[in-house]
């Protein structure tokens, strides 16, 4: 392993049972890939190096039980540091830490913690206390875990409140959007009704105008006809048919029927029928009577002249 990079020297040479000592190696980065290849190295000593930060994949070394990062220049720990759930002993003495990541609360197996000689936040420094003996370091682990769990719970509550507020805001926006859409629909409905009413009034007005025009035209036609009839010469009054004319028409019809019957009985084969024989006889008698009557008139006229 070369100085600074941590690459070159085999880590197996540093491995003693389950302990891997990489202290005083002037490291400025952690050889995570090589460490991951040694899952039996549950105790790792990285103290007295030049580490400013830990890579994010460092938290994949979940087999670690004891970790010594003291006397480095660490300014912060990875956000997912809590993934090291098997960690029981953690030494962070003499670094540049101000706060701890919230995921620190997930180190449920942590039994020993040293945070001395760090520019910690006053609240966190007060919670951690001193780590001058085994008892104080164990108390520091318990108190810091409780403190970080409280912070995590508060952040969860804030996150929930924020999420709830966002949901309420979203519901409010949706309600406003629905109200706006309903208002727009009502506006369109009202405009449509007004347009329909306008067209209906126009139709009624056109219909009334058409009826008025037809009425006016009819009046003008009647007036024209009256004017034309008044300009014609007076015609003689028509006489109603009298009863005498009706009787005359009936007599003419009867006479016509008699003549037709006589013609049929005289000129057709029906003259030998009993009815025609009677008609012919009657006809001859009437003719004879008329002749006698004529002769009588002649005799009277001759006598009057004498």
């Amino acid at each position: 392993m070369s100085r600074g990079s941590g690459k070159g020297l085999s880590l197996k040479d540093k491995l003693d049972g389950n302990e891997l000592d990489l202290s005083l190696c002037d490291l400025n980065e952690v050889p995570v890939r090589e460490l991951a290849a040694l899952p039996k190295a549950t105790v790792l000593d990285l103290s007295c190096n030049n580490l400013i930060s830990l890579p994010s994949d460092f938290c994949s070394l979940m087999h670690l039980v004891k970790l010594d990062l003291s006397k480095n220049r660490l300014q912060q720990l990875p956000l997912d540091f809590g993934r090291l759930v098997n960690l029981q002993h953690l030494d962070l003495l003499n670094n540049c830490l101000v706060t701890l990541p919230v995921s620190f609360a997930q180190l449920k197996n942590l039994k020993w913690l040293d945070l001395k000689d760090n520019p910690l936040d006053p609240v966190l420094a007060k919670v951690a206390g001193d780590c001058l003996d085994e008892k104080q370091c164990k108390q520091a682990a318990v108190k810091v875990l409780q403190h970080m769990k409280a912070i995590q719970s508060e952040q969860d509550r804030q996150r929930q409140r924020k999420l709830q507020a966002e949901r309420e805001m979203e519901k409010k926006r949706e309600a406003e959007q629905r109200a706006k859409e309903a208002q727009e629909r009502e506006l369109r409905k009202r405009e449509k009704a007004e347009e329909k009413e306008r067209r209906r009034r126009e139709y009624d007005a056109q219909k009334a105008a058409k009826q008025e025009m037809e009425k006016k035209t009819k009046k003008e036609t009647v007036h024209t006809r009256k004017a034309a009839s008044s300009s014609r010469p007076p015609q003689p009054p028509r006489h109603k048919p009298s009863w005498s004319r009706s009787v005359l028409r009936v007599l003419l019809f009867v006479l016509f029927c008699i003549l037709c019957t006589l013609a049929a009985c005289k000129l057709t084969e029906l003259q030998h029928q009993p009815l025609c024989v009677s008609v012919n006889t009657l006809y001859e008698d009437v003719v004879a009577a008329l002749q006698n009557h004529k002769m009588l008139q002649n005799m009277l006229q001759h006598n009057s002249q004498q």
Side-chain angles (χ1 to χ4, degrees):
M1 181 187 300
S2 63
R3 299 283 180 176
S5 65
K7 299 178 182 179
L9 182 62
S10 175
L11 297 184
K12 292 182 180 180
D13 297 335
K14 296 282 187 177
L15 183 62
D16 183 10
N18 65 337
E19 296 183 7
L20 181 60
D21 187 1
L22 297 179
S23 62
L24 300 169
C25 292
D26 198 24
L27 297 176
N28 52 29
E29 61 181 35
V30 180
V32 176
R33 183 176 299 177
E34 290 81 357
L35 292 173
L38 298 173
K40 63 181 296 184
T42 58
V43 179
L44 177 61
D45 188 354
L46 291 170
S47 63
C48 302
N49 283 292
N50 297 317
L51 300 176
I52 297 176
S53 64
L54 299 176
S56 59
D57 56 352
F58 180 85
C59 301
S60 65
L61 304 176
M62 298 175 63
H63 60 277
L64 293 178
V65 175
K66 183 177 181 179
L67 177 61
D68 190 351
L69 292 168
S70 62
K71 298 181 181 180
N72 279 280
R73 294 184 294 165
L74 294 173
Q75 298 179 0
Q76 60 182 8
L77 298 178
L79 294 178
D80 56 347
F81 192 80
R83 291 176 59 193
L84 302 175
V85 292
N86 293 314
L87 199 61
Q88 299 179 15
H89 185 108
L90 178 60
D91 193 346
L92 294 170
L93 170 71
N94 194 12
N95 276 279
C96 301
L97 297 173
V98 177
T99 60
L100 297 175
V102 179
S103 65
F104 200 91
Q106 299 173 12
L107 301 176
K108 57 184 180 179
N109 292 314
L110 189 64
K111 302 293 188 298
W112 195 97
L113 177 62
D114 188 358
L115 287 172
K116 291 193 309 296
D117 299 330
N118 279 281
L120 295 175
D121 176 80
V123 176
L124 180 58
K126 183 177 180 181
V127 171
D130 294 327
C131 182
L132 302 176
D133 54 31
E134 188 75 12
K135 182 179 179 180
Q136 288 182 344
C137 292
K138 288 182 177 181
Q139 288 179 349
V142 173
K143 291 181 179 179
V144 169
L145 282 179
Q146 291 177 348
H147 177 68
M148 298 309 298
K149 286 180 180 178
I151 293 177
Q152 186 180 46
S153 298
E154 180 61 25
Q155 288 187 355
D156 290 342
R157 285 192 293 270
Q158 290 180 358
R159 193 180 301 110
Q160 288 295 330
R161 286 194 293 268
K162 183 179 179 181
L163 182 61
Q164 183 66 24
E166 290 176 353
R167 289 176 180 174
E168 291 178 356
M169 183 64 66
E170 182 64 24
K171 289 181 179 179
K172 184 178 179 181
R173 285 196 295 267
E174 291 177 355
E176 291 177 352
Q177 182 65 25
R178 288 194 296 269
K180 183 179 179 181
E181 291 175 355
Q183 186 177 4
E184 291 177 353
R185 286 196 300 271
E186 185 64 26
L187 180 61
R188 289 195 298 269
K189 184 178 180 181
R190 185 164 59 250
E191 290 176 351
K192 185 177 180 181
E194 291 176 354
E195 177 65 18
K196 184 177 180 180
E197 178 64 19
R198 185 186 63 79
R199 292 200 305 268
R200 189 187 65 80
R201 288 196 299 267
E202 290 180 354
Y203 172 79
D204 292 342
Q206 292 175 358
K207 186 176 180 180
K210 184 178 180 181
Q211 291 177 350
E212 184 67 22
M213 183 64 68
E214 291 177 352
K215 188 184 295 184
K216 184 177 180 180
T217 304
K218 187 176 181 181
K219 287 183 178 180
E220 292 177 352
T221 303
V222 172
H223 180 71
T224 303
R225 289 179 179 177
K226 286 184 178 180
S229 61
S230 61
S231 62
R232 293 177 183 175
Q235 297 181 356
R238 298 179 180 179
H239 298 285
K240 296 183 179 181
S242 61
W243 285 104
S244 59
R245 292 186 178 182
S246 299
V247 173
L248 179 60
R249 290 177 181 174
V250 171
L251 291 176
L252 290 175
F253 178 73
V254 171
L255 180 60
F256 176 75
C257 291
I258 293 172
L259 291 175
C260 290
T261 303
L262 287 173
C265 290
K266 285 289 185 179
L267 303 176
T268 65
E269 296 178 353
L270 297 176
Q271 59 185 343
H272 300 295
Q273 296 293 328
L275 180 60
C276 285
V277 172
S278 300
V279 170
N280 290 334
T281 303
L282 180 60
Y283 172 73
E284 292 175 355
D285 292 341
V286 171
V287 171
L290 290 173
Q291 290 178 351
N292 292 331
H293 180 66
K294 188 176 181 180
M295 291 176 62
L296 181 59
Q297 284 182 346
N298 291 332
M299 289 177 64
L300 290 174
Q301 185 177 4
H302 181 71
N303 291 331
S304 62
Q305 289 179 354
Q306 289 179 358

